[in-house]
Amino acid sequence: PKWAALMSKHNLRQQLYSRERLEKLCNSDRERLEKLLDANWLPPEKILVPSARRGRANANQLSKEEPFIQLKRGKIIELDNQRFVLMIEIKQGKENQDIKLSFKLIPHGADTTSLPSGLELALLNPSGKVVTSNTAKTGDNQLFLPPNPSKPATMDLEKLENNLKKGKVFQIKITLNGQSKTEPFPVI
């Protein structure tokens, strides 16, 4: 009965349909973004210790402002007998296929507060060349890629999906004391 009155008003009905259409589009795009990662990439609340989660916004928020979709995921990386959390943040705007990517490496564990000096985080293109990198200095508690976290990398989602189908993926490389580990992005 209450919906009948709402549905009789043309402009209110249009607003409702527009919102439903927006939610369907958003869910479809969210699924596309999630397909870039596999099940080993977890939401921050499942991977970060409580002290590392403090002050962080909801990891899967939908916003009326930019970004249209925001997805944060992380995974634990072990290297040289130390554990780190590699975080990825993917944002997609309302108007286009461009996605904004940023990566962050932080120490894992309640008693570890800083990264070891010399730890390197690098983004490699599909041919293996370094696109950008960042190296931890003494006392750093996080490492970003791109190095300026306010300027994330921009990629075309459709092109990234097509490259994935061809097996052409970027690599996130973490190096410490001559040892390295790479993680593909998007995940094959």
Side-chain angles (χ1 to χ4, degrees):
K2 291 180 181 178
W3 284 101
L6 175 66
M7 297 306 286
S8 69
K9 304 287 185 192
H10 178 71
N11 64 335
L12 295 176
R13 190 171 59 239
Q14 290 300 91
Q15 287 177 0
L16 181 61
Y17 289 146
S18 293
R19 182 157 180 87
E20 285 177 359
R21 201 171 32 239
L22 182 63
E23 287 175 3
K24 284 180 185 176
L25 175 65
C26 181
N27 288 336
S28 169
D29 285 346
R30 173 170 296 288
E31 289 171 11
R32 287 177 69 193
L33 294 180
E34 287 176 346
K35 285 180 182 178
L36 297 175
L37 304 169
D38 65 14
N40 293 321
W41 288 87
L42 303 172
E45 60 273 9
K46 292 188 178 188
I47 200 166
L48 296 176
V49 293
S51 63
R53 283 197 304 252
R54 251 184 247 132
R56 295 192 191 340
N58 182 355
N60 296 307
Q61 72 186 24
L62 295 179
S63 173
K64 292 179 182 172
E65 308 145 14
E66 291 289 338
F68 183 57
I69 299 173
Q70 179 176 341
L71 182 70
K72 291 183 184 179
R73 294 288 185 264
K75 70 186 319 183
I76 295 175
I77 305 291
E78 288 196 39
L79 184 63
D80 196 34
N81 297 318
Q82 297 185 56
R83 295 177 75 162
F84 308 99
V85 176
L86 177 61
M87 298 294 302
I88 183 171
E89 182 174 18
I90 306 171
K91 297 177 183 179
Q92 183 178 22
K94 295 178 185 179
E95 301 299 323
N96 58 37
Q97 288 291 310
D98 286 347
I99 57 172
K100 296 191 182 300
L101 293 170
S102 58
F103 298 92
K104 178 168 56 172
L105 193 64
I106 57 176
H108 183 268
D111 57 340
T112 307
T113 58
S114 63
L115 297 169
S117 179
L119 177 71
E120 184 182 19
L121 182 62
L123 177 65
L124 311 177
N125 68 15
S127 65
K129 289 187 178 182
V130 174
V131 175
T132 185
S133 67
N134 199 357
T135 303
K137 297 171 206 59
T138 301
D140 284 351
N141 61 1
Q142 50 192 354
L143 202 53
F144 294 98
L145 271 188
N148 182 347
S150 65
K151 295 183 179 182
T154 301
M155 295 183 178
D156 180 272
L157 179 57
E158 195 169 310
K159 185 176 180 182
L160 201 56
E161 290 170 327
N162 288 334
N163 282 346
L164 177 59
K165 290 175 187 173
K166 297 174 188 173
K168 295 180 178 179
V169 295
F170 287 82
Q171 298 283 326
I172 294 69
K173 183 177 180 182
I174 304 158
T175 306
L176 177 63
N177 298 329
Q179 296 180 28
S180 65
K181 180 149 186 153
T182 58
E183 292 290 331
F185 177 79
V187 177
I188 298 176

